[in-house]
Amino acid sequence: MLKSRVRKNLAIGLVITAVIASLSVVVADDGSKVEELRKSLIIGLSVTGVVTGGTWLLQRRRSAP
């Protein structure tokens, strides 16, 4: 199922994003849990998108004749 690097990077990035978002909500004590969750999700999904997109572009360039 996860044979390509793009899919592997996407899956790993989404798992890491979920874990970091969960931890940031648990650690947030001052009542700003929704803000912390939103910030963690935005950062995590952005990084995941950049890494996955970069991998996709590299893979596409290498396979082009």
Side-chain angles (χ1 to χ4, degrees):
M1 183 176 141
L2 296 175
K3 292 183 180 180
S4 73
R5 286 185 179 174
V6 174
R7 288 184 182 168
K8 286 180 186 177
N9 284 346
L10 182 60
I12 291 169
L14 291 176
V15 168
I16 291 172
T17 300
V19 169
I20 290 174
S22 300
L23 287 175
S24 68
V25 169
V26 169
V27 172
D29 291 339
D30 57 355
S32 63
K33 293 185 179 203
V34 174
E35 272 188 47
E36 287 294 324
L37 176 65
R38 198 172 110 218
K39 185 169 47 170
S40 295
L41 287 175
I42 289 171
I43 292 169
L45 293 174
S46 297
V47 170
T48 300
V50 167
V51 170
T52 304
T55 305
W56 178 76
L57 283 174
L58 284 175
Q59 200 172 34
R60 188 172 172 193
R61 284 186 183 173
R62 287 182 183 166
S63 65

